Amino acid sequence: GIGAARRWLKEELDSISEEYHDGRLEVRLQHFEIKPGRRIPKTIDLANVVAVLPGTDPERLVILSGHYDSMPSSPTDGKSDAPGANDDASGTAAVLEAARMLGGLKPRASIVFLAVAGEEQGLYGSTRQAEWWKEEGKHVEAMFTMDIVGGVVGSSGKQEPHRLRVFSEGVPTAGQKIIGSDNDAPSRQLARYIKRTAAHSLPEFELTLIFRQDRFLRGGDHRPFNDLGWAAIRLTEPHENYHWQHQDVREEDGIAYGDVPENVDFAYTGRVTTSVASAVRELSLAPAAPRKVRVDISKLTPHTTLRWQPNTEKDLAGYAILVRRTHEPLWTERIEVAEGHEITLEGYSKDNFLFAVEAVDQNGNRSLAVYPSPTR
């Protein structure tokens, strides 16, 4: 059951730490108690499996997550077989494989390889984990949850083995206020970021940006992080099969039900892992994102002036301004700023364009882009 699963995951991450990270992964079980509720028949002790690769800036966290709990047809049935191969052993396996792929990396931001419990009962594991980090004063730079990434044939009969959906919230549920755009929350910038890095690491794998927080009637482990004001996104296959999710393993009227390994496309899960690992690698090596980014609205002008707080990191190469028109989903221009922390873009009206600022180190690693707030 769940106890055996978490012990196995910890042992696996301990092994990965020794073989791929020279023992540098800090692996632990983070226990928490859940009281009885709508989907909880009795008080129970659960645990998240947490493996941290420390960075030189340990207060910044970049997180890859999957949930290792699963459920049959009833969310309170703790006895029936619930393989959970796609939902969400696929995402948990991707976390483990990413830990191997990023072996030997010495990041600037700490990387967290996370497997949470209690997702099916109400996102309990991810909620508690996010709250703990908030209490500790950590800053979650980015959180990727991989949930249902087995690439199975959907209920519609469709399968797209070279496409992945990326869900991100528009208007932040907490934290930063976005003025002048409903499409530029930190989570939207993170979605654009992974689309860019994945295009370089795996060009044949198309990441489709879905501009909503999640699917209807469903919820994922990125939500508690969004609730605390952090950039967090959900990655999910394009065509889900509802006969193979949250179902007792059985055959009924000639239809096979159950989330079993035979339905999973393992090569697809590998592509998901590669795409996420590429984003995590660059983000964890990049400088911190610029702070206090402002667009000057003190006067009417056909030009745009942007200012931000200087970054003090020694290997900083400079900054870049990202530009797009208001109807465009992706950044279309990139203007480098080698020196200083202010720029006036001649002929770019702030009424006609959207902007963001990113920090860049000497190796070309780019931070998350930050959308400006208006200031007089």
Side-chain angles (χ1 to χ4, degrees), residues 126 131 147 175 216 302:
S126 56
E131 291 170 347
D147 194 350
F216 289 109

Side-chain angles (χ1 to χ4, degrees), residues 44 48 65 115 122 127 136 141 174 197 214 217 235 271 286 301 333:
I44 189 170
N48 296 332
S65 175
T127 299
E136 292 172 3
E141 192 113 312
T197 57
D214 212 327
L217 302 178
L235 310 174
R271 288 189 283 273
T301 169
E333 294 184 64

Side-chain angles (χ1 to χ4, degrees), residues 23-67:
R24 291 187 299 125
L25 281 186
E26 300 170 355
V27 186
R28 67 180 185 274
L29 294 178
Q30 191 127 14
H31 287 264
F32 57 97
E33 186 179 80
I34 304 180
K35 299 294 185 181
R38 185 172 65 89
R39 287 192 168 194
I40 308 293
K42 62 181 180 180
T43 299
I44 189 170
D45 172 77
L46 293 176
N48 296 332
V49 187
V50 186
V52 180
L53 179 61
T56 56
D57 185 355
E59 301 311 303
R60 291 170 52 207
L61 303 181
V62 178
I63 303 163
L64 305 84
S65 175
H67 70 86

Side-chain angles (χ1 to χ4, degrees), residues 210-354:
I210 308 293
F211 286 156
R212 53 170 47 110
Q213 187 185 50
D214 212 327
R215 305 142 308 148
F216 289 109
L217 302 178
R218 310 295 286 275
D221 286 316
H222 59 311
R223 282 195 171 193
F225 290 82
N226 288 159
D227 290 343
L228 294 178
W230 288 323
I233 60 178
R234 178 197 178 107
L235 310 174
T236 298
E237 66 197 25
H239 303 288
E240 299 176 65
N241 193 309
Y242 305 114
H243 291 160
W244 299 344
Q245 295 177 13
H246 303 173
Q247 293 286 342
D248 292 334
V249 179
R250 69 193 190 280
E251 185 170 322
E252 193 173 285
D253 297 328
I255 299 173
Y257 293 84
D259 192 354
V260 296
E262 290 78 7
N263 297 330
V264 173
D265 180 343
F266 296 101
Y268 178 87
T269 304
R271 288 189 283 273
V272 174
T273 307
T274 298
S275 64
V276 178
S278 68
V280 168
R281 182 184 187 281
E282 184 171 344
L283 261 179
S284 69
L285 293 173
R291 294 193 300 165
K292 297 183 179 179
V293 181
R294 300 287 186 263
V295 56
D296 188 340
I297 62 164
S298 61
K299 58 185 177 181
L300 296 174
T301 169
H303 316 304
T304 296
T305 297
L306 298 165
R307 303 184 185 93
W308 55 93
Q309 185 170 305
N311 191 313
T312 58
E313 290 170 280
K314 293 181 179 179
D315 63 343
L316 186 76
Y319 305 90
I321 311 302
L322 304 180
V323 184
R324 74 181 198 275
R325 293 188 180 273
T326 58
H327 69 282
E328 293 174 319
L330 302 175
W331 301 114
T332 56
E333 294 184 64
R334 185 171 182 268
I335 302 167
E336 294 184 354
V337 183
E339 296 181 355
H341 49 94
E342 176 179 325
I343 187 173
T344 296
L345 301 173
E346 301 285 339
Y348 286 86
S349 169
K350 53 188 169 290
D351 298 322
N352 299 341
F353 292 89
L354 298 171

Side-chain angles (χ1 to χ4, degrees), residues 108-247:
R108 194 189 312 246
S110 294
I111 301 175
V112 183
F113 304 98
L114 178 66
V116 301
E119 192 271 353
E120 302 290 7
Q121 279 64 45
L123 312 180
Y124 285 101
S126 56
T127 299
R128 294 299 296 274
Q129 199 65 50
E131 291 170 347
W132 278 320
W133 280 322
K134 194 75 170 183
E135 292 166 5
E136 292 172 3
K138 303 291 187 183
H139 172 67
V140 175
E141 192 113 312
M143 187 273 190
F144 305 86
T145 186
M146 296 173 283
D147 194 350
I148 309 178
V149 290
V152 301
V153 178
S155 295
S156 64
K158 293 182 179 179
Q159 183 180 29
E160 291 188 88
H162 293 278
R163 186 180 300 277
L164 175 68
R165 289 185 293 174
V166 181
F167 289 87
S168 61
E169 66 172 6
V171 178
T173 52
Q176 178 186 355
K177 291 183 178 179
I178 303 297
I179 300 175
S181 174
D182 59 359
N183 203 16
D184 282 277
S187 295
R188 288 282 157 88
Q189 310 302 356
L190 182 58
R192 294 183 178 104
Y193 194 101
I194 189 175
K195 184 173 178 65
R196 173 184 64 82
T197 57
H200 288 288
S201 64
L202 209 61
E204 71 277 14
F205 196 50
E206 177 68 24
L207 270 63
T208 300
L209 303 187
I210 308 293
F211 286 156
R212 53 170 47 110
Q213 187 185 50
D214 212 327
R215 305 142 308 148
F216 289 109
L217 302 178
R218 310 295 286 275
D221 286 316
H222 59 311
R223 282 195 171 193
F225 290 82
N226 288 159
D227 290 343
L228 294 178
W230 288 323
I233 60 178
R234 178 197 178 107
L235 310 174
T236 298
E237 66 197 25
H239 303 288
E240 299 176 65
N241 193 309
Y242 305 114
H243 291 160
W244 299 344
Q245 295 177 13
H246 303 173
Q247 293 286 342

Side-chain angles (χ1 to χ4, degrees), residues 60-100:
R60 291 170 52 207
L61 303 181
V62 178
I63 303 163
L64 305 84
S65 175
H67 70 86
Y68 71 97
D69 61 307
S70 59
M71 60 172 276
S73 297
S74 168
T76 58
D77 179 358
K79 296 182 179 180
S80 297
D81 189 22
N86 193 23
D87 184 13
D88 183 36
S90 62
T92 306
V95 170
L96 295 178
E97 185 61 17
R100 295 187 183 95

